[in-house]
């Protein structure tokens, strides 16, 4: 559960995320790369999360061949 005094919505959100299998990851990347990636995703009309998921799945599938 979130620390401090979480709202009922925060508690419900965390519960849903845990049940659905969502996690948050943090990576340190160069600012220029992150900004260029955000711009490229915006230009392509896709979310950064969707593109990262696609690239991760493509890499996983490639490695499993």
């Amino acid at each position: 559960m979130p620390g401090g005094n979480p709202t009922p919505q925060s508690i419900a959100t965390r519960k849903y995320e845990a049940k659905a299998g969502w996690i948050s990851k943090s990576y340190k990347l160069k600012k220029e790369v992150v900004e260029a990636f955000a711009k490229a995703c915006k230009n392509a009309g896709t979310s950064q999360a969707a593109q990262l998921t696609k690239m991760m799945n493509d890499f996983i599938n490639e490695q499993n061949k």
Side-chain angles (χ1 to χ4, degrees):
M1 288 292 155
N5 189 16
T7 65
Q9 182 60 53
S10 294
I11 294 169
T13 298
R14 299 302 172 260
K15 184 177 177 182
Y16 164 77
E17 289 172 345
K19 184 177 179 180
W22 291 97
I23 63 167
S24 178
K25 294 295 289 181
S26 177
Y27 301 96
K28 291 201 181 267
L29 302 164
K30 290 280 193 173
K31 181 179 179 181
E32 297 81 17
V33 172
V34 173
E35 290 174 348
F37 181 70
K39 184 176 180 182
C41 288
K42 184 176 180 181
N43 290 343
T46 188
S47 72
Q48 294 177 49
Q51 185 60 34
L52 285 169
T53 300
K54 180 188 178 305
M55 292 186 304
M56 286 180 171
N57 281 325
D58 289 348
F59 183 75
I60 291 164
N61 291 335
E62 180 182 301
Q63 296 306 307
N64 287 336
K65 287 184 181 178

